Amino acid sequence: MTSPVLTPEALRALARDILAMTTADTASVTVSHRATRVTRIARNRVQRLSNGETLQLEITTAFGSKGMIALSVNQLDPETLRAAVAYTERVAHESIGDPALTRDAMPIPPRQYLDATCWFDTTAAALSDDRHDMVEAIVQPMIAAKLIGAAFIGASAYSTMYANKQGILAAGQSTDAELIVTGWSRPSATSRGSSGWAGQAARDWTKINPDAVVADTIRFARGMAEPVAFEPGRRVAILGRPAMAQIVATMGRYYDAAATHAGETPLSGHKLNDKIWDERLTLSSDPNDPDGGYLPFDDRGDPRIPMTWINRGRLENLAYGPYTAAYSGVTPANPAPESVRLGVPTNTASTPALQTIEEMIANCKEGIYVNRVADIEIIHGRSGLLSGVTNGGCFLIRNGKIEKAVKDFRFLDSPYFFLNRLVAVGTSERTAFGYAPWHGEWPLPPTIVPPVMVRDFNFVALADNV
Amino acid sequence: MFSPVSPTRRQFLTTGARALAGVTLGARVASAQRFARGFHPGMAVQTFQLPDDTASLRMTPHQWLVTSSSAEQFRSLALVAMDAAHGAGADFADIRIGVQRDFSVFSGRVAVGYGIRARVNGTWSFESGTVLTPDAVATAARTAVADARTAAAINARLGQPSGIELAPAPVVTGEWQSPVSIDPFAVPIDDYMRFWQSCAQVGDRFGAGVQTRSAMSWQLETRVFASTTGSLVTQQLTRGGIGLSASAVLPDRDDNVEVQIPGFGLQSVGFEAVLDPTIFDHLAVGAQEAIRWRELREQTFPDVGRYPVVFDGATMARIVGGTVNAALDGDRAAGLEADAAGETFLTPVSDVLRATTPQFSPLLTVTAGRAVPSRVAVQWDDDGVVPEAYTVVDRGHVTDYHTTRETAPLLAEWYAKHNHSLRSHGGCVSTTPASVPVGIAGDVSVAPAQTPADIDALMREMQRGFLVIDGYARVSPGLTGGLLDATLVIEVQQGKPIRRLRGMWFAFNTKGVVGKSLVALGSKDTVRTASIQIPKGIPWESVQFPVTAPAAFCKDVDVVHMALGA
């Protein structure tokens, strides 16, 4: 099968060609190439079938401490590349000096990258699939359930490369697939309407199960009929995986050692082995995570290796890139993770008992079950305090049963606080995000999370009002 | 044709020196409305030193950001693609093809690309690419038609009817370019750096801890639109400008009071924006204002509750832009964003338009359009439609929606009843030629009060409340409310600013803040412009547009705690 994006071999050849064109003391080339195929469904019909391609090649050059002039182009013909190199060199030559810009000229340790399986031919093949069957599997049940359906079916193939004159050359490919289904009924004179949301995401297209996603959407939409306003406040909350994924996706950046030492993260002021949250929870990242690995290098070609950040509730590691690690005398070096897994420790006899959401509900005297949250915003980085709104299913639980649907809340809490109030935890899975521009560009990195039940989760207001 | 560069540069250097010499320090007592600043927030502020030998940076962005593609080549490829789409059996197809060049002194971007839409039996497909050869665009066009046919076949099997017909649009041909006086890409880089240095020098005169800054960026785009109905237009669009700010470092901590200078920002404008002789005066006034705010006592505000609030024009623009304006988005009303940005509470359209009671305050009138010098100004939108000015809210009543050819038919019945022809308002936009076209509002304006009312006047009756300057609204997915914090929050007692407050958050309800709670709007001199960014679709792409609004007095706004332990 022809690759829909540049292969690692093609990227490496491109890097060698470009770097051979420049006489600059330091130079780097970054390439990202993405192909997508998207089917969007609106009102139970295909709204649009789209094929997109984006390509960006950035060349940066410097002479000694002069320069770091960057030019981005999206054409790969030799004429364009030669012109781009020539112009960055010309401006770099004439620019002012800045010793801080000489990082790429520093001696570097040898780079070794793990093998990581982020590419699936099944997903690449889905970039030319007509998706007849999947669309029907989504729309027919929605029509039968008398719901208005909207859906996003996306597949993406991506390749990226970073190379510099000092010898770093990292290239790799990944694929992503995501299915999101929303179903709702309109408010009427006799009904307040309802809506439900469900989704799945995977590197491998074949792991997407439209039947399961649609069934969940219909279940939530039916459950959300006639939602009523319920008093906000601190309450027991059962946070489903889609809710937890939105929250946990904010966490990776906090493990950066420089930011932590500068007092900017919830880990600032903590020492290694300090208790951060409940001892039943572990936070880790692994390029070869079977539920959602990631490329074993960052956008500067620095290697990423498996790391445990929080082990059984205690701080085990911070993230040191190679230069910070060398400066600080820390090994192993590892940049802040792009992707994390929150789960229970699995390598000890003390692995806690896991509960399903149904079991959590059965064990809850009074609380709120939140399927998903949206509009995440970090309010205070130092404490990890963030705000968002429930969106896509929110229910009142009383005496071990879902009593009724409730209107959406705005919440304000920090995972570094509420994960210390853990009541129960479930199994971890890669989870879909859906529309989430507050986290970055689609597709978002894999985030693997469990559902959790926590005490005193802070619902601050009805979302209708704020 | 653009003006030659050399005389302009001499003019700039002379003007800049004169303006710097004319800066008046310390003599002005700024009125409160001068503190109410509004300016596009997204522009990063950078500082650079002027090189010793400025003559060495005589290069211009035109020389730096080269492209081998020409408008003639784009037109030729566009016609090849449309012929291919027609031949493949499209009911309709169009293409946007061109090059964008972005410049902000030490970084640049050149991106070419195209996006082809094809329509079969009322179902769209879209195909984008970056390879500019006749074979590539023709293949893409045929693929788009095949995909549209596939999607239409799926819809037929599902028993779903054909999509709504597009609103009619006349065939258009021609060329247009943004009416800039001085091509910013023809100005040597050292002129930009000299301006930077001059702006920074204004702050130096106010002593330690006071800084004045400028930021500049421009985009030059050549975009060709063509369709299978025979339209073929070429536009050369220049967008950009300068951002100005002043700041004063707080004595007791690592923070500062920052003032954005109003009246500047991204527009369809050239380097002539830099030649405005008032720039340095504005920076000096901004520095004085930052110092004045710094001298006010700063405290945290411990009490939650409901208070009267005066929002400056920039804050009001962001509130209206994120709520009323988004709720009037035709894409949301048509359900096209149901899987992404969401729907709107202003639906069903026919019920909203027929409503006899106003949805918002009778003080609220909102208009939109894409006329020069707005940054979204075009002669033809990405549907090939000539944009028009229109009113979406008239004294509180919803009278229209922001539309494209795809969404305008939602209003067919309403237009027929009012003897308006069915047409798009020209709100179709692709952020790049290769992006999926979506609907936007264009340049949105909230009408100010006709009678004089500056911010001092709006605050005058306030016993105890707040003045919110440069506030940022976070609107909830349903658009029915949101949270707001601000660069500056001033406590007001008996109509007078008393102290600066930190850590303040406000919660607002859309129908309250632009409905029952809205007591008064400021007059023309309180009007400020803010840039609104709304991500649409999945994969989401952010569309940006300016919203202009006067200051507003709202009698009931909730102050909320956004810290744990409350």
Side-chain angles (χ1 to χ4, degrees):
Chain A
M1 190 183 87
T2 307
S3 173
V5 289
L6 293 164
T7 62
E9 294 71 31
L11 289 167
R12 289 188 191 100
L14 187 62
R16 282 190 287 270
D17 289 349
I18 293 171
L19 292 174
M21 292 177 188
T22 178
T23 59
D25 297 335
T26 57
S28 64
V29 184
T30 306
V31 179
S32 58
H33 188 203
R34 186 180 296 283
T36 57
R37 185 166 171 90
V38 166
T39 307
R40 290 184 69 193
I41 294 169
R43 295 175 184 269
N44 290 334
R45 67 190 304 278
V46 178
Q47 173 202 346
R48 176 176 287 126
L49 188 54
S50 305
N51 296 311
E53 181 190 9
T54 57
L55 173 66
Q56 180 169 311
L57 183 149
E58 185 173 279
I59 299 168
T60 305
T61 61
F63 292 88
S65 64
K66 286 185 164 187
M68 284 301 169
I69 302 303
L71 182 60
S72 164
V73 297
N74 71 347
Q75 300 284 282
L76 301 181
D77 60 281
E79 185 187 356
T80 297
L81 297 178
R82 266 194 296 273
V85 169
Y87 287 118
T88 60
E89 286 186 347
R90 187 170 161 189
V91 181
H93 247 313
E94 305 298 345
S95 73
I96 55 176
D98 181 352
L101 299 180
T102 57
R103 175 190 186 277
D104 281 357
M106 292 172 63
I108 55 166
R111 293 285 192 262
Q112 289 191 323
Y113 303 113
L114 296 174
D115 287 330
T117 306
C118 304
W119 176 274
F120 288 83
D121 285 342
T122 51
T123 309
L127 268 70
S128 52
D129 180 40
D130 63 23
R131 300 175 183 170
H132 270 268
D133 295 340
M134 186 178 275
V135 172
E136 287 193 27
I138 293 165
V139 174
Q140 296 286 24
M142 302 297 281
I143 293 171
K146 296 186 166 45
L147 291 172
I148 303 166
F152 162 81
I153 311 166
S156 158
Y158 177 68
S159 64
T160 186
M161 176 270 287
Y162 174 86
N164 69 18
K165 280 192 92 170
Q166 278 59 50
I168 295 180
L169 178 47
Q173 292 182 305
S174 60
T175 53
D176 279 281
E178 187 168 14
L179 168 64
I180 303 297
V181 181
T182 306
W184 75 99
S185 61
R186 283 213 178 284
S188 67
T190 57
S191 165
R192 296 187 188 91
S194 68
S195 67
W197 182 101
Q200 288 182 353
R203 293 283 191 203
D204 180 357
W205 174 261
T206 60
K207 288 192 174 176
I208 302 292
N209 181 343
D211 295 336
V213 174
V214 171
D216 282 347
T217 302
I218 292 172
R219 182 166 56 86
F220 282 116
R222 284 181 171 154
M224 281 301 291
E226 309 297 319
V228 297
F230 192 67
E231 188 70 17
R234 286 190 174 274
R235 300 185 179 283
V236 170
I238 296 170
L239 304 173
R241 289 189 192 90
M244 283 300 291
Q246 297 278 352
I247 292 169
V248 170
T250 64
M251 284 186 172
R253 70 193 75 172
Y254 289 141
Y255 290 83
D256 181 74
T260 298
H261 292 158
E264 296 168 358
T265 79
L267 304 166
S268 299
H270 284 287
K271 299 187 294 291
L272 294 183
N273 207 37
D274 277 0
K275 184 171 181 293
I276 302 298
W277 59 45
D278 191 281
E279 63 191 13
R280 284 169 284 178
L281 293 172
T282 288
L283 188 77
S284 59
S285 52
D286 182 353
N288 273 308
D289 192 307
D291 293 327
Y294 52 92
L295 292 173
F297 55 87
D298 71 358
D299 57 4
R300 300 297 300 265
D302 294 334
R304 285 186 158 131
I305 57 177
M307 292 292 281
T308 299
W309 309 104
I310 303 278
N311 190 8
R312 283 178 274 172
R314 293 185 181 276
L315 179 61
E316 185 158 298
N317 280 297
L318 290 175
Y320 292 81
Y323 294 94
T324 316
Y327 180 78
S328 309
V330 172
T331 54
N334 196 50
E338 178 186 62
S339 168
V340 292
R341 166 188 282 268
L342 178 70
V344 297
T346 54
N347 56 348
T348 70
S350 59
T351 299
L354 300 174
Q355 290 189 14
T356 63
I357 287 177
E358 289 72 23
E359 289 168 334
M360 293 178 192
I361 291 170
N363 293 328
C364 179
K365 188 173 180 202
E366 181 175 295
I368 304 292
Y369 168 34
V370 177
N371 177 40
R372 178 177 184 258
V373 297
D375 268 14
I376 296 294
E377 177 168 358
I378 294 172
I379 301 294
H380 186 231
R382 177 69 180 77
S383 61
L385 188 66
L386 49 82
S387 183
V389 294
T390 64
N391 181 254
C394 189
F395 305 91
L396 174 65
I397 303 162
R398 279 207 175 117
N399 300 318
K401 290 181 178 167
I402 288 179
E403 184 172 289
K404 57 189 168 188
V406 292
K407 289 190 172 180
D408 285 318
F409 293 106
R410 179 168 284 279
F411 69 90
L412 176 72
D413 215 322
S414 166
Y416 288 88
F417 296 164
F418 74 71
L419 292 179
N420 271 305
R421 305 191 295 265
L422 188 73
V423 177
V425 58
T427 55
S428 298
E429 292 178 8
R430 180 172 177 185
T431 306
F433 283 92
Y435 177 80
W438 44 89
H439 285 313
E441 293 183 1
W442 186 89
L444 294 164
T447 299
I448 302 147
V449 291
V452 300
M453 180 173 172
V454 295
R455 292 187 305 277
D456 297 329
F457 192 75
N458 193 23
F459 298 103
V460 289
L462 290 174
D464 270 1
N465 297 326
V466 292
Chain B
M1 289 296 292
F2 296 121
S3 303
V5 173
S6 299
T8 301
R9 181 167 175 264
R10 283 197 298 275
Q11 179 196 350
F12 160 65
L13 296 176
T14 309
T15 309
R18 192 168 56 236
L20 268 179
V23 168
T24 307
L25 303 182
R28 288 182 141 124
V29 179
S31 63
Q33 80 252 19
R34 235 185 247 138
F35 304 139
R37 300 307 190 188
F39 186 59
H40 56 93
M43 217 171 204
V45 174
Q46 299 169 283
T47 54
F48 289 90
Q49 294 174 359
L50 203 63
D52 294 337
D53 178 11
T54 55
S56 64
L57 281 176
R58 300 303 305 149
M59 281 179 66
T60 68
H62 272 310
Q63 293 171 292
W64 185 13
L65 302 171
V66 291
T67 173
S68 56
S69 308
S70 67
E72 191 51 46
Q73 183 191 8
F74 294 136
R75 281 190 287 269
S76 169
L77 291 170
L79 293 175
V80 167
M82 291 302 92
D83 282 348
H86 181 73
D91 296 341
F92 173 80
D94 59 18
I95 182 173
R96 287 141 294 279
I97 182 170
V99 58
Q100 287 182 330
R101 294 188 287 165
D102 295 283
F103 165 69
S104 56
V105 182
F106 281 131
S107 67
R109 167 182 164 266
V110 184
V112 300
Y114 62 85
I116 298 169
R117 285 192 303 187
R119 199 168 161 92
V120 173
N121 290 337
T123 303
W124 284 114
S125 70
F126 178 81
E127 185 86 15
S128 71
T130 58
V131 179
L132 300 180
T133 64
D135 280 351
V137 297
T139 301
R142 284 190 284 270
T143 303
V145 177
D147 278 348
R149 188 171 285 117
T150 296
I154 295 172
N155 285 335
R157 267 174 38 187
L158 289 168
Q160 297 299 304
S162 297
I164 299 169
E165 287 294 313
L166 300 178
V171 172
V172 289
T173 56
E175 297 181 27
W176 186 81
Q177 67 177 31
S178 307
V180 300
S181 301
I182 304 164
D183 179 0
F185 280 60
V187 176
I189 291 169
D190 67 348
D191 279 7
Y192 284 96
M193 297 176 72
R194 194 180 296 274
F195 174 73
W196 238 313
Q197 183 80 344
S198 299
C199 290
Q201 285 171 355
V202 175
D204 292 345
R205 300 179 180 206
F206 289 86
V210 178
Q211 292 187 330
T212 47
R213 301 186 189 90
S214 61
M216 290 173 281
S217 67
W218 265 276
Q219 182 181 74
L220 182 60
E221 174 170 12
T222 302
R223 186 175 292 204
V224 169
F225 170 87
S227 73
T228 48
T229 55
S231 288
L232 178 63
V233 296
T234 306
Q235 299 184 86
Q236 180 159 311
L237 306 168
T238 305
R239 312 176 182 105
I242 55 176
L244 302 174
S245 64
S247 64
V249 175
L250 293 169
D252 52 342
R253 59 199 172 94
D254 184 20
D255 204 351
N256 61 49
V257 173
E258 184 160 331
V259 171
Q260 304 292 324
I261 312 296
F264 300 90
L266 299 181
Q267 292 189 311
S268 294
V269 68
F271 191 76
E272 64 271 18
V274 173
L275 304 180
D276 181 342
T278 69
I279 284 174
F280 302 104
D281 276 335
H282 280 289
L283 281 169
V285 172
Q288 289 172 316
E289 292 170 5
I291 292 167
R292 178 182 166 181
W293 288 129
R294 179 177 66 179
E295 287 167 357
L296 273 184
R297 195 162 41 100
E298 183 184 73
Q299 291 184 343
T300 53
F301 188 75
D303 305 326
V304 297
R306 190 160 285 183
Y307 295 90
V309 173
V310 170
F311 295 116
D312 78 327
T315 309
M316 196 60 186
R318 293 189 185 105
I319 291 172
V320 172
T323 58
V324 177
N325 169 68
L328 292 166
D329 176 1
D331 287 354
R332 284 178 179 262
L336 303 180
E337 284 291 314
D339 60 336
E343 292 202 289
T344 169
F345 61 88
L346 293 176
T347 185
V349 168
S350 54
D351 292 355
V352 172
L353 291 168
R354 280 200 305 260
T356 52
T357 53
Q359 285 86 359
F360 305 112
S361 165
L363 297 173
L364 196 71
T365 292
V366 183
T367 58
R370 299 182 69 175
V372 171
S374 169
R375 62 185 286 194
V376 294
V378 290
Q379 178 66 24
W380 300 281
D381 78 349
D382 284 310
D383 269 337
V385 170
V386 178
E388 61 178 354
Y390 56 103
T391 300
V392 279
V393 179
D394 184 8
R395 288 164 289 174
H397 289 274
V398 172
T399 56
D400 213 331
Y401 285 69
H402 305 302
T403 56
T404 63
R405 290 188 68 193
E406 185 171 18
T407 58
L410 286 174
L411 294 107
E413 188 183 319
W414 174 252
Y415 288 161
K417 183 180 171 187
H418 291 82
N419 296 319
H420 295 160
S421 56
L422 173 60
R423 59 157 291 177
S424 158
H425 290 309
C428 185
V429 65
S430 303
T431 52
T432 73
S435 303
V436 175
V438 297
I440 64 160
D443 195 326
V444 175
S445 293
V446 178
Q450 295 301 307
T451 52
D454 62 14
I455 284 185
D456 287 333
L458 293 174
M459 293 194 306
R460 197 164 293 141
E461 300 303 316
M462 196 183 277
Q463 296 302 306
R464 189 186 185 205
F466 305 99
L467 168 62
V468 175
I469 295 172
D470 223 8
Y472 288 81
R474 285 86 166 164
V475 180
S476 296
L479 310 177
T480 52
L483 287 173
L484 188 145
D485 71 344
T487 304
L488 273 175
V489 178
I490 308 296
E491 184 176 349
V492 179
Q493 290 186 15
Q494 314 303 325
K496 302 289 183 194
I498 299 299
R499 55 180 172 163
R500 193 158 33 84
L501 299 168
R502 66 169 175 244
M504 290 280 287
W505 286 82
F506 300 87
F508 63 89
N509 174 296
T510 301
K511 290 207 168 177
V513 79
V514 290
K516 284 184 292 187
S517 180
L518 180 59
V519 175
L521 290 174
S523 50
K524 192 176 175 184
D525 54 346
T526 69
V527 165
R528 299 288 180 264
T529 300
S531 180
I532 304 294
Q533 180 171 296
I534 296 183
K536 298 185 82 169
I538 313 180
W540 41 90
E541 286 204 47
S542 285
V543 290
Q544 295 187 22
F545 51 92
V547 179
T548 300
F553 177 49
C554 296
K555 63 180 181 181
D556 294 317
V557 181
D558 289 333
V559 172
V560 293
H561 264 296
M562 291 297 278
L564 290 182

